[in-house]
Amino acid sequence: MTHPSPLPVVVAIDSFKGSIRAADAAQAIAEGWRSVDPEREIVLCPMADGGEGTRDAFAAAIPGARRQPSWLLLPATDDAQDRTGVVELASTSGIELLGSPPRLRPWDADTRGFGEAIAAALAHGVSRLILGIGSSASTDGGAGMLTALGARFTDAAGQPIAPGARGLATIAAADLTRLAPPPPGGVTVLTDVTSPLLGERGAAAVFGPQKGATPDDIPLLDAALARYADLLEADPDTPGAGAAGGTGFGLLAWGARLVPGAQAVAQLIDLPARLAAASLVITGEGSFDASSAAGKTVAYVQDLAAAQRLPVALVAGRVADGAATTGFASTTSLTDLAGSAPAALGDPARWLRLAGGELAQRFG
């Protein structure tokens, strides 16, 4: 008598920032599970919310995706002319590109590299763009990106402004007549940030310190962004305008649409359908804390699973005291497995494999 095969296990995990990419984390968990239960089908759906690992998540989850030097080309779907490009700010103008530990440059870091990658995708002939804008290093409002796409920003003497927020402090005019148009299918921007551009909840005040800005820098950065905002036709109060040091605002001025990152990635990799055919989903991130419930990947995966009445196992680098873990069928902390945070950070793949094996023993 033959028995039906057990339903697949889906691994929909985010990156462990600064430690291991989402695709590698998902692979490590799968290897651990297979060491105990080699027959179970493991479906890898590495996740992202617009930050580090967004491009890798699409590459791992979508068959036929092709890597270009600084962006990703997704395969055509129903329309043979539908050519979607994925560009990630983290890998082109991100904070991790400044070294480890990063050599922060709050006034001079800019988004030109991000814009150059977008321009390369446009030159390739993409019909649609998906842009992930997390892990930014700069507070330039996306001016560097727009410059790479053909915009010209000048000071009172008619000279090009300096890169970064330093240039915004002297900006007097914006010439967008040579700005490349968006592709015909539009531009979708993935972000988990809802901050406006300016003010106490804006790009400078909330995210400037992460990029090296001092308390004295914050009002000056905010004023520089305000000068810039006066020259572009976009609403600085739009939720997400302050994302990536104001790059969200620059993209709004280009005609882009901002959407919640985790939700968009899940839809694009068809995660709801994959969960509908699964017996368990494993999700997680580097640090699971109180903020994880506010639009982050783990919370969104948990919501999707709840709609399917599917059990969810959480695997995190650390689980903060007081973090809401109710609703998970299992919770695993790599810090606890390894005995300390430094040990977990030193070899995350090892501990993720161990976590995968333990989950197979429990749920296999």
Side-chain angles (χ1 to χ4, degrees), residues 1 55 57 79 113 122 129 156 193 203 205 226 260 271 281 302 310 313 316 319-320 340-341 355:
M1 179 179 179
R55 184 176 58 166
D79 183 348
L122 292 174
L129 280 169
V193 170
L271 184 60
V281 58
Q302 191 178 28
L310 182 68
V319 178
S340 70

Side-chain angles (χ1 to χ4, degrees), residues 260-315:
Q263 179 178 345
V265 170
Q267 296 298 323
L268 287 163
I269 67 173
D270 205 19
L271 184 60
R274 295 171 190 255
L275 296 184
S279 60
L280 173 74
V281 58
I282 303 170
T283 190
E285 59 188 351
S287 178
F288 184 79
D289 53 30
S291 70
S292 298
K296 299 285 188 178
T297 293
V298 170
Y300 187 69
V301 172
Q302 191 178 28
D303 287 345
L304 286 179
Q308 306 278 4
R309 296 187 178 180
L310 182 68
V312 183
L314 172 69
V315 178

Side-chain angles (χ1 to χ4, degrees), residues 7-11 33 40-44 278-282:
L7 295 174
V9 172
V10 172
V11 183
W33 185 291
R40 180 69 66 92
E41 180 184 357
I42 310 296
V43 180
L44 303 186
S279 60
L280 173 74
V281 58
I282 303 170

Side-chain angles (χ1 to χ4, degrees), residues 166-181:
R166 191 176 306 280
L168 300 187
T170 66
I171 194 169
D175 180 0
L176 307 184
T177 57
R178 296 185 180 180
L179 182 63

Side-chain angles (χ1 to χ4, degrees), residues 212-244:
T214 68
D216 289 340
D217 288 330
I218 300 302
L220 300 176
L221 288 168
D222 197 59
L225 288 168
R227 288 175 65 100
Y228 172 67
D230 284 342
L231 300 174
L232 297 183
E233 294 185 2
D235 183 358
D237 291 330
T238 302

Side-chain angles (χ1 to χ4, degrees), residues 109-356:
D110 75 344
T111 52
R112 187 174 189 110
F114 182 47
E116 289 172 347
I118 294 172
L122 292 174
H124 194 85
V126 299
S127 58
R128 183 169 65 125
L129 280 169
I130 299 170
L131 307 179
I133 61 170
S135 306
S136 165
S138 62
T139 309
D140 78 337
M145 171 200 67
L146 293 176
T147 298
L149 292 172
R152 187 168 186 265
F153 301 106
T154 52
D155 60 19
Q159 297 300 308
I161 62 172
R166 191 176 306 280
L168 300 187
T170 66
I171 194 169
D175 180 0
L176 307 184
T177 57
R178 296 185 180 180
L179 182 63
V187 180
T188 301
V189 181
L190 313 181
T191 178
D192 67 348
V193 170
T194 58
S195 299
L197 180 66
L198 306 171
E200 63 183 15
R201 297 191 304 109
V206 176
F207 304 108
Q210 301 171 6
K211 300 165 187 179
T214 68
D216 289 340
D217 288 330
I218 300 302
L220 300 176
L221 288 168
D222 197 59
L225 288 168
R227 288 175 65 100
Y228 172 67
D230 284 342
L231 300 174
L232 297 183
E233 294 185 2
D235 183 358
D237 291 330
T238 302
T247 302
F249 175 78
L251 286 165
L252 286 168
W254 193 40
R257 179 173 64 101
L258 308 186
V259 301
Q263 179 178 345
V265 170
Q267 296 298 323
L268 287 163
I269 67 173
D270 205 19
L271 184 60
R274 295 171 190 255
L275 296 184
S279 60
L280 173 74
V281 58
I282 303 170
T283 190
E285 59 188 351
S287 178
F288 184 79
D289 53 30
S291 70
S292 298
K296 299 285 188 178
T297 293
V298 170
Y300 187 69
V301 172
Q302 191 178 28
D303 287 345
L304 286 179
Q308 306 278 4
R309 296 187 178 180
L310 182 68
V312 183
L314 172 69
V315 178
R318 62 179 286 271
V319 178
D321 292 339
T325 58
T326 56
F328 292 108
S330 172
T331 301
T332 303
S333 162
L334 301 192
T335 297
D336 291 345
L337 287 180
S340 70
L345 289 168
D347 192 358
R350 172 188 176 187
W351 304 109
L352 286 163
R353 284 191 290 270
L354 180 59

